[in-house]
Amino acid sequence: MTQIIRKIVQNPNDTSAWNELLHFGPVILAKPKRGGARRNLSNIITKRTVAWGKDPLQAIQEGRPWNRPGKELSDNSKLAAAVTSKLEAGNFRAAIRIICSNDTPAPANSETLQALQLKHPTPATDRRPPCDPEGNQRFEPLQVSKEDVLKALRSFPLGSSGGPDGLTPQHISDLLTGSTDDSLYQALVDLINVILAGSCPKEVNTILFGGRLIALTKKGGGIRPISVGYTLRRLAAKCANNYVIKRRSEALQPQQLGVGVSGGAEAAVHAARRLVNSLPQDHVIVKLDFSNAFNCIRRDLILDNIAAHTPEIYRLIHAAYSCEPILSFGEHQILSMEGAQQGDPLGSLEFCEAVQPLLTSLHSEVKIGFMDDFTLSGDLRTVENDVLAIMDAAAETGLQLNQAKCEIIMDDFTLISASTTFSQFIRTKKDEMMLLGAPVIKGKAQDTAIKQKIEELDRAVQRLSLLRAHDALSLLKNSLAMPKLLYLLRTADCSGNQLLDEFDNKLQTGLSKVLNVDLNDDQWLQASLPVRNGGLGIRSAQMLAPSAFLASAASTLTLQQSILPDSISLLEDSSVTSVETKWSSLSGSGLPAREEQQVQKIWDKSVTEHHQALITSRAVHATDKARLLAAGSPHSGDWLHAPPIASVGLRLSDEAVRVAVAHRLGCKACEPHCCLCGKAVDARGLHGLSCRKSGPRHQRHHYMNDILCRAIKRAQIPVVKEPTSLLQQDGKRPDGTTLLPWARGKPMAWDVTVPDTYAESHISNTAREAGAAANRASASKTAKYGALSVSHIFVPVAIETAGTWGQSAIELVQEIGKRITTVTEDTRETMFLFQRLSIALQKGNAIAFQTTFETE
């Protein structure tokens, strides 16, 4: 790949080199039909690389068929397999889309092709020729560094698709990580700079700036086109976007909030709420909808405004829009002749730059733009004139109002009975107004929005029951419960809405269903706490609602005031005052300091600590006290943060998840019975964690020690496990030692131990202090290997069965993670190591739990 890119960099007009680059993915990286010992993937790639150039370039049409003969998969099995596949790749976004979406792939027929063609209109007959940047010093192109390219590459979501050539961002990352020098890295940077300079020939641009089209059938009818561009083009566009976005987003504010504005959508909704609550009798609010806006905005308008405001990226935009890029749909091709290209990382900026002159020319008192969503407010005559101005500018902008979807909001609709401008607009009451997907004030719209979220949650839980328990728990925690509701809670004053109780009940029932555990009220309350507070991170909507709303209102206050006229912005926000009172009763504390009120975590901390203290006060038995202390200790819940990826050992079995959750929340784990050792086992099933006849305890120990060994080796430090010659006088052997100095010129030796939090010898101490058993075990190990202190640095690694870590173990893992990061340059290495060890602990606990039953 380095050789191919160098050819292009040396001569960008070499179309044969571009042809090789675009065939690299389909020829070299095509997925084989099957794996196994006889079809080693490395050998396959090597053979293809050796054969490169000997035969005419031809894409390898390989891949696993969707269904094997005689094994027709049900729809449920297909869905489960698709979700698991995306999670295995770390692509949570795609997994969520599959779980939640009602869109289905459109058939590849003439009707779909015609619908896609209608979505991509022909250009205006009076299109202005673009300014040619060639030889113009004003358009000196942006040139990027290695750091810029790496930042852009890391910004791609995990599992991002490739364009028509199949080359994905992950392919590029793997190629760069596996290289023995930085030659490919430098070649890639040079190629990105060639693309940014617009130096590619036009026939290459028509392909490079094109993509592949996917057509989805909407639930309500119609076609939704999805365009996936070439990865290299998207990488160049991301570099350009990162360079200009901050400067241009500041210039476009406060009229345009859709480009690079943190909290822009939330600020718009908060401003709209304050506006509606103070709307004068003769004022109106209108929401404008444009038909197929992004595909219809005139390209000459885009190019003119990019040239005026961001000349450093003009050459890139000119290269993309001075030709007609090819969009592939199956065997068919559609030319992209107008509009901002879908899937282009610069598309939003291009659109907003093009419409900004129109938006700023309007005279309404309030003008809110969020890309193609326009909201205007002011006196009736002024707003009506602005709407007419937008209609009159259609020929200049290419944007046509879809009046059947436009809305008007006011108190007295009789005032517009004679207006032809608003005759087709939907007349919306204040309590029915939605803006950017959020209800503006309490009332019908808010209830409808929450009911919709309840229905979505119910449908999602039904689909989650088809998945593995760990997959389901991870999706519910990270994507489907609060993450799906959070935008609504942050933008709308939902505090006290009884429908949130219904949402929480659905969430509790769904959690019990996917995990196969029975939760009482106290256990559900604990589960709804953040992981750091001893919960599962499945947050309660009622508990979180005030904190989310207040944090959003505070963090966007400055932006709200820039949007609103002084007559409204200077007024106190009554909704915030009301929610502050509810928050105080929920948290039992005073308001945070003003400088901290922008952070939701600060608001939420007081609420969760109050409920955590409430749960702790109800604990009577020593076992419950020890369990709650351990659950809230650092890193005890790291297994809950681990993505369920089986290929790296991070997926737990259904039974392991059930046992881990039951032990963390104090749920019933089994029926009372007698262990094989003769002792009674209660319904919590904790006896197996310390049973002397439990063989898996040793397996758990060896598994965790292996993880530590591999991690230290990954930091490029050789180790030996269970060395025999360190203490010859008594023959004691620690679990491992490094063969190079660790610190102070001495090698490091360690020994893993997993004391049981609930053992009779520990429970009286662990019920008073989290980590008491780990600290005791650490002291015992240090004394046992005291003679090693002369020649080695000895570190005890003590982790309790309930997940509490000894301080020395935490410090060792942090140091190992830091050293791995030095090698890999991945700052997440420490987090990954904590997660792997936490997962190993839960796997061992589940097996130890199972050994208390007879297995004949």
Side-chain angles (χ1 to χ4, degrees):
M1 189 173 185
T2 304
Q3 294 171 1
I4 298 169
I5 293 176
R6 281 175 174 169
K7 290 180 187 177
I8 295 174
V9 172
Q10 292 169 3
N11 182 12
N13 291 314
D14 184 356
T15 55
S16 62
W18 280 105
N19 186 48
E20 289 186 45
L21 181 60
L22 296 176
H23 276 81
F24 180 83
V27 174
I28 300 295
L29 302 177
K31 187 176 180 180
K33 288 183 178 179
R34 64 183 67 180
R38 296 184 179 180
R39 293 184 64 84
N40 181 275
L41 187 58
S42 298
N43 291 337
I44 292 173
I45 298 296
T46 301
K47 289 178 181 177
R48 292 175 182 173
T49 308
V50 171
W52 181 268
K54 295 181 179 179
D55 301 313
L57 294 177
Q58 185 174 358
I60 300 172
Q61 301 296 327
E62 295 192 61
R64 210 178 283 271
W66 280 99
N67 296 322
R68 295 180 181 179
K71 286 193 175 183
E72 183 68 26
L73 297 177
S74 66
D75 291 340
N76 289 342
S77 298
K78 289 179 181 177
L79 184 142
V83 172
T84 299
S85 174
K86 294 301 181 183
L87 287 176
E88 191 68 24
N91 192 346
F92 274 74
R93 290 186 182 183
I96 292 303
R97 283 198 298 269
I98 295 171
I99 283 285
C100 298
S101 178
N102 287 315
D103 294 343
T104 56
N109 54 29
S110 57
E111 293 180 0
T112 302
L113 178 62
Q114 185 178 6
L116 290 174
Q117 289 171 334
L118 292 175
K119 290 283 187 180
H120 296 84
T122 56
T125 55
D126 60 344
R127 173 187 278 183
R128 298 180 296 277
C131 175
D132 189 355
E134 192 63 35
N136 192 331
Q137 293 184 353
R138 183 170 178 271
F139 300 120
E140 191 68 25
L142 168 68
Q143 296 291 273
V144 295
S145 64
K146 291 182 180 180
E147 291 72 22
D148 297 325
V149 173
L150 182 60
K151 178 182 177 182
L153 186 61
R154 287 177 173 172
S155 68
F156 282 98
L158 289 173
S160 293
S161 297
D165 64 340
L167 184 68
T168 68
Q170 190 61 52
H171 283 140
I172 297 176
S173 295
D174 291 343
L175 286 166
L176 292 174
T177 303
S179 60
T180 56
D181 55 41
D182 65 348
S183 56
L184 175 57
Y185 207 156
Q186 186 58 55
L188 181 64
V189 173
D190 293 340
L191 177 64
I192 296 302
N193 284 327
V194 166
I195 297 174
L196 289 172
S199 301
C200 310
K202 190 170 184 178
E203 56 267 38
V204 171
N205 287 339
T206 59
I207 299 173
L208 184 64
F209 292 98
R212 59 187 176 92
L213 275 178
I214 302 171
L216 300 178
T217 302
K218 299 180 184 178
K219 182 181 179 182
I223 293 295
R224 185 192 310 280
I226 305 294
S227 177
V228 184
Y230 286 87
T231 296
L232 292 171
R233 176 270 175 99
R234 287 149 61 198
L235 183 59
K238 278 179 173 285
C239 291
N241 195 57
N242 291 341
Y243 186 81
V244 302
I245 192 65
K246 186 176 186 299
R247 171 167 57 88
R248 290 311 301 158
S249 67
E250 291 174 353
L252 295 173
Q253 294 177 43
Q255 292 85 9
Q256 180 57 253
L257 306 176
V259 181
V261 182
S262 178
E266 294 179 10
V269 180
H270 286 299
R273 182 192 69 255
R274 299 172 66 183
L275 177 65
V276 168
N277 288 333
S278 305
L279 192 67
Q281 186 71 22
D282 60 339
H283 279 48
V284 299
I285 302 173
V286 295
K287 291 170 53 186
L288 304 180
D289 182 89
F290 297 101
S291 299
N292 196 23
F294 268 70
N295 282 331
C296 290
I297 189 74
R298 289 183 58 147
R299 284 189 179 169
D300 51 5
L301 194 60
I302 292 175
L303 288 165
D304 289 347
N305 283 279
I306 291 293
H309 302 296
T310 52
E312 60 268 54
I313 66 171
Y314 178 74
R315 287 177 178 266
L316 173 67
I317 310 300
H318 179 270
Y321 291 160
S322 61
C323 64
E324 296 179 347
I326 299 171
L327 300 175
S328 302
F329 176 64
E331 298 178 352
H332 304 282
Q333 292 183 346
I334 298 173
L335 297 182
S336 175
M337 295 180 282
E338 194 67 285
Q341 290 180 349
Q342 186 188 37
D344 180 2
L346 285 166
S348 298
L349 176 62
E350 294 164 357
F351 180 89
C352 293
E353 290 281 18
V355 300
Q356 185 69 2
L358 172 63
L359 190 56
T360 53
S361 70
L362 304 178
H363 297 92
S364 294
E365 196 172 24
V366 176
K367 298 174 287 188
I368 304 174
F370 194 86
M371 289 187 282
D372 60 335
D373 288 297
F374 284 13
T375 303
L376 308 177
S377 181
D379 65 86
L380 178 59
R381 182 177 297 276
T382 302
V383 172
E384 184 173 14
N385 288 337
D386 281 347
V387 172
L388 291 173
I390 292 173
M391 292 178 179
D392 292 340
E396 180 183 344
T397 63
L399 299 178
Q400 295 284 345
L401 275 183
N402 184 357
Q403 296 188 50
K405 289 187 177 181
C406 294
E407 299 179 37
I408 183 167
I409 300 95
M410 61 188 306
D411 286 320
D412 185 4
F413 290 110
T414 60
L415 298 176
I416 60 169
S417 57
S419 172
T420 56
T421 305
F422 299 126
S423 60
Q424 297 183 49
F425 281 35
I426 300 171
R427 301 182 179 188
T428 304
K429 297 179 180 178
K430 288 182 178 180
D431 68 341
E432 297 177 352
M433 180 181 175
M434 299 281 292
L435 182 65
L436 302 177
V440 175
I441 61 175
K442 284 182 176 291
K444 185 176 180 181
Q446 186 180 111
D447 291 347
T448 301
I450 298 177
K451 287 178 181 177
Q452 182 180 354
K453 294 298 181 182
I454 293 172
E455 293 173 0
E456 290 176 358
L457 177 63
D458 192 38
R459 181 171 60 250
V461 167
Q462 292 177 14
R463 294 181 175 181
L464 287 177
S465 62
L466 305 173
L467 307 179
R468 300 279 293 273
H470 197 180
D471 293 351
L473 176 61
S474 185
L475 289 174
L476 195 62
K477 169 183 172 290
N478 296 310
S479 306
L480 286 177
M482 280 309 103
K484 279 288 186 180
L485 188 67
L486 189 58
Y487 174 68
L488 177 61
L489 297 183
R490 285 179 63 88
T491 52
D493 175 12
C494 299
S495 302
N497 193 313
Q498 296 302 310
L499 288 171
L500 291 185
D501 289 327
E502 185 178 343
F503 183 93
D504 285 344
N505 291 335
K506 284 282 186 184
L507 192 54
Q508 179 180 353
T509 303
L511 185 64
S512 296
K513 182 177 181 180
V514 299
L515 298 181
N516 190 23
V517 292
D518 185 22
L519 301 174
N520 60 32
D521 290 342
D522 281 350
Q523 290 160 355
W524 160 242
L525 182 59
Q526 182 186 346
S528 66
L529 296 176
V531 174
R532 65 178 178 275
N533 293 97
L536 299 182
I538 310 291
R539 304 305 309 280
S540 160
Q542 282 287 23
M543 187 189 301
L544 192 61
S547 301
F549 179 80
L550 292 172
S552 178
S555 63
T556 60
L557 181 59
T558 302
L559 193 51
Q560 295 174 43
Q561 292 174 333
S562 68
I563 295 170
L564 296 169
D566 292 342
S567 59
I568 297 176
S569 64
L570 297 177
L571 297 176
E572 184 180 40
D573 191 340
S574 58
S575 296
V576 170
T577 305
S578 173
V579 177
E580 285 177 346
T581 303
K582 295 174 184 175
W583 179 88
S584 295
S585 64
L586 196 61
S587 65
S589 63
L591 300 180
R594 184 165 298 276
E595 62 272 12
E596 296 180 331
Q597 291 184 3
Q598 299 184 10
V599 183
Q600 181 176 315
K601 191 174 182 179
I602 298 296
W603 290 97
D604 189 39
K605 182 180 179 182
S606 298
V607 176
T608 54
E609 287 180 349
H610 177 73
H611 285 84
Q612 184 182 11
L614 180 64
I615 296 170
T616 303
S617 67
R618 295 174 182 172
V620 177
H621 300 292
T623 300
D624 286 321
K625 293 178 180 179
R627 173 179 59 81
L628 292 171
L629 286 172
S633 63
H635 302 292
S636 68
D638 281 356
W639 64 274
L640 287 162
H641 298 308
I645 303 177
S647 59
V648 291
L650 292 181
R651 174 176 278 129
L652 292 170
S653 67
D654 292 356
E655 182 64 6
V657 171
R658 187 187 71 82
V659 172
V661 169
H663 286 177
R664 186 173 179 85
L665 302 182
C667 304
K668 181 179 179 180
C670 61
E671 293 297 324
H673 60 282
C674 185
C675 178
L676 296 178
C677 71
K679 292 189 176 182
V681 181
D682 64 13
R684 297 192 182 186
L686 298 174
H687 167 73
L689 303 182
S690 59
C691 179
R692 291 295 178 183
K693 292 190 176 181
S694 175
R697 290 189 304 122
H698 303 291
Q699 298 173 22
R700 177 182 59 200
H701 172 275
H702 293 311
Y703 184 23
M704 297 174 73
N705 189 46
D706 284 344
I707 292 174
L708 280 176
C709 284
R710 289 196 299 271
I712 297 173
K713 289 178 180 178
R714 196 154 180 257
Q716 296 184 352
I717 299 174
V719 301
V720 59
K721 291 197 293 185
E722 298 184 359
T724 58
S725 58
L726 292 187
L727 294 171
Q728 296 185 2
Q729 62 272 30
D730 55 14
K732 294 176 182 176
R733 294 184 299 170
D735 282 335
T737 182
T738 64
L739 297 179
L740 291 176
W742 184 260
R744 304 194 305 273
K746 295 181 179 181
M748 186 266 293
W750 74 89
D751 201 79
V752 177
T753 180
V754 186
D756 180 28
T757 307
Y758 310 106
E760 293 180 4
S761 57
H762 296 309
I763 191 63
S764 60
N765 295 321
T766 55
R768 293 194 303 267
E769 178 188 2
N775 293 335
R776 182 177 175 181
S778 295
S780 176
K781 288 291 184 182
T782 300
K784 178 180 179 180
Y785 295 103
L788 275 178
S789 60
V790 177
S791 58
H792 288 70
I793 296 172
F794 178 75
V795 182
V797 181
I799 309 174
E800 295 180 16
T801 55
T804 308
W805 287 61
Q807 185 58 36
S808 60
I810 293 176
E811 292 173 356
L812 177 62
V813 169
Q814 289 173 339
E815 179 61 26
I816 296 172
K818 184 171 69 175
R819 297 191 184 202
I820 299 175
T821 296
T822 302
V823 175
T824 65
E825 298 183 356
D826 191 335
T827 58
R828 301 169 296 173
E829 294 290 358
T830 301
M831 177 185 68
F832 291 156
L833 183 53
F834 273 117
Q835 289 176 358
R836 284 195 293 272
L837 288 166
S838 187
I839 287 286
L841 177 68
Q842 299 306 327
K843 287 182 176 180
N845 286 350
I847 298 173
F849 166 82
Q850 288 287 345
T851 59
T852 64
F853 303 96
E854 292 187 17
T855 55
E856 291 184 358

